[in-house]
Amino acid sequence: MLFKQQALLRQKLFVLGSLAIGSLLYLVARVGSLDRLQPLCPIDGRFGPRGQDEIPLRALQFKRGLLHEFRKGNATKEQIRLHNLVQQLPKAIIIGVRKGGTRALLEMLNLHPAVVKASQEIHFFDNDENYAKGIEWYRKKMPFSYPHQITIEKSPAYFITEEVPERIYKMNSSIKLLIIVREPTTRAISDYTQVLEGKERKNKTYYKFEKLAIDPNTCEVNTKYKAVRTSIYTKHLERWLKYFPIEQFHIVDGDRLITDPLPELQLVEKFLNLPPRISQYNLYFNATRGFYCLRFNIVFNKCLAGSKGRIHPEVDTSVITKLRKFFHPFNQKFYQITARTFNWP
């Protein structure tokens, strides 16, 4: 009798345990699904009057899984029509700066349910061969999105290429332009580090940074070295200002994006006239990787590629001092033009 009671008790416990586990799994899946599918609330009356250039938002259903399938080319024309998906020209472009954090910025902005990113650098405006293919070719390189989402692409070479400002102006004179910058000397060393790594993978030798950054004949900063030229931000920005007013630019602090990303992302949301959606929940520090990773919902997290956050080679302190002294007047002018000051030495 006792044996039968124990067996019956074990059976009941097994059934209850199975139900509990099943319920838990259902809740996890349901919360993840709701997080992806939760419609955005209309912003009228909640965030003030809509500006002329503000992106209108209706009750969007942000279906990341579905959009991912379309990006992979697994959608039929009927599915695209049914879901009212389109390939839109970008309403905002991250134009630079190389090694300033353009990839991190793009991936973090993609946390916002009203933003869709072009995954690859398209190099339409800085590549003559691509540009000759026409604007329709460019549009078809964009991801599928809902009509009231905004598409963002990034190609850091745009910032330093002379022909690009005029070409983008001809496409859309009111487009919003994002520039992410880091302390110029650090950025130049990071630029060098990426090239050095590429050379080492091919078993090629490469000059030390000091030899490239300093002219051996004059012992002055070598402005012919591309990594140095790219860090003279004000020179490139002045060329862009011939076509676009400063109000169409937003400068992102790339150093702060590494250490404290949320305030920078909130400023970008405001610049793009998007309702605030990115929160601290979406960003968590990964101690192993040494930088922030992204949390889209309860079941989907993402960290940047392992190539991000490369260890820089040691550089002679006298060279660093010389570079910082060289960049200083350009930095001061950059602060003045952009009305934003950075804690650069």
Side-chain angles (χ1 to χ4, degrees):
M1 184 68 177
L2 179 62
F3 177 79
K4 287 184 179 180
Q5 288 178 341
Q6 289 176 339
L8 183 61
L9 180 61
R10 283 196 297 270
Q11 186 177 6
K12 288 181 178 179
L13 289 174
F14 176 80
V15 171
L16 289 173
S18 300
L19 288 172
I21 293 172
S23 298
L24 180 61
L25 290 173
Y26 171 81
L27 286 173
V28 169
R30 181 63 175 164
V31 171
S33 174
L34 288 173
D35 191 85
R36 290 193 302 275
L37 300 178
Q38 184 178 4
L40 289 178
C41 298
I43 65 174
D44 288 341
R46 293 187 57 200
F47 302 97
R50 186 177 290 151
Q52 184 178 1
D53 59 348
E54 184 171 349
I55 307 300
L57 294 173
R58 295 180 187 171
L60 297 176
Q61 288 190 324
F62 189 62
K63 303 174 183 176
R64 289 187 181 274
L66 180 62
L67 290 174
H68 179 65
E69 290 301 311
F70 292 151
R71 282 197 291 270
K72 292 192 301 183
N74 296 339
T76 65
K77 290 182 178 180
E78 179 60 24
Q79 286 175 315
I80 293 170
R81 184 196 62 77
L82 181 64
H83 292 281
N84 197 28
L85 293 172
V86 291
Q87 287 174 292
Q88 305 182 81
L89 289 172
K91 291 187 175 73
I93 300 178
I94 301 171
I95 59 174
V97 176
R98 172 181 161 91
K99 305 314 298 174
T102 57
R103 173 56 61 182
L105 177 60
L106 182 67
E107 296 293 342
M108 289 179 178
L109 289 178
N110 193 50
L111 288 164
H112 198 292
V115 171
V116 180
K117 67 179 175 74
S119 297
Q120 303 299 319
E121 293 180 8
I122 299 171
H123 291 284
F124 177 65
F125 297 102
D126 65 311
N127 183 299
D128 291 340
E129 184 178 341
N130 287 342
Y131 190 68
K133 295 174 182 177
I135 201 73
E136 188 62 15
W137 177 88
Y138 179 56
R139 187 182 66 80
K140 288 183 178 179
K141 291 291 182 180
M142 296 298 145
F144 285 100
S145 62
Y146 296 99
H148 299 294
Q149 290 177 306
I150 67 170
T151 299
I152 299 179
E153 79 123 323
K154 74 105 176 173
S155 293
Y158 289 169
F159 186 60
I160 63 170
T161 306
E162 289 189 13
E163 299 83 3
V164 171
E166 182 179 7
R167 288 174 175 180
I168 291 181
Y169 181 85
K170 287 179 178 178
M171 177 191 73
N172 182 358
S173 62
S174 62
I175 197 166
K176 304 220 170 186
L177 303 165
L178 294 162
I179 305 173
I180 180 167
V181 294
R182 296 189 67 193
E183 191 276 313
T185 300
T186 302
R187 194 222 63 83
I189 296 172
S190 181
D191 199 330
Y192 166 83
T193 304
Q194 178 169 302
V195 176
L196 175 65
E197 185 179 277
K199 297 284 186 181
E200 289 176 342
R201 280 200 303 265
K202 298 176 182 177
N203 293 320
K204 293 183 178 180
T205 57
Y206 196 48
Y207 293 112
K208 291 188 68 175
F209 176 79
E210 292 87 341
K211 190 169 184 179
L212 294 169
I214 304 299
D215 188 324
N217 298 319
T218 64
C219 292
E220 297 299 326
V221 173
N222 180 17
T223 55
K224 293 181 180 180
Y225 178 38
K226 188 176 180 180
V228 169
R229 286 201 318 274
T230 300
S231 285
I232 308 176
Y233 304 139
T234 185
K235 290 289 187 182
H236 306 293
L237 182 58
E238 284 173 341
R239 184 173 59 251
W240 283 85
L241 290 173
K242 294 176 182 177
Y243 295 90
F244 300 96
I246 193 63
E247 291 76 18
Q248 283 178 231
F249 295 86
H250 179 73
I251 311 300
V252 179
D253 186 339
D255 294 307
R256 192 183 183 199
L257 192 74
I258 296 171
T259 59
D260 188 18
L262 184 58
E264 287 299 316
L265 295 173
Q266 290 172 333
L267 289 173
V268 177
E269 284 180 323
K270 185 176 180 180
F271 173 69
L272 296 177
N273 293 316
L274 295 172
R277 288 292 182 271
I278 303 173
S279 69
Q280 198 62 58
Y281 167 81
N282 300 117
L283 304 160
Y284 66 96
F285 186 76
N286 186 312
T288 303
R289 304 292 295 275
F291 48 79
Y292 280 84
C293 294
L294 316 178
R295 181 186 290 115
F296 288 86
N297 53 46
I298 197 171
V299 294
F300 180 42
N301 299 341
K302 180 178 182 179
C303 286
L304 296 179
S307 60
K308 304 300 177 183
R310 295 179 181 90
I311 298 175
H312 293 177
E314 288 190 17
V315 177
D316 190 296
T317 54
S318 65
V319 171
I320 292 176
T321 301
K322 186 183 285 288
L323 283 168
R324 287 177 172 170
K325 185 177 180 181
F326 168 80
F327 286 126
H328 183 75
F330 297 111
N331 295 342
Q332 295 302 309
K333 192 170 184 180
F334 186 69
Y335 301 162
Q336 184 180 10
I337 293 172
T338 62
R340 182 161 191 186
T341 303
F342 300 91
N343 296 320
W344 297 341

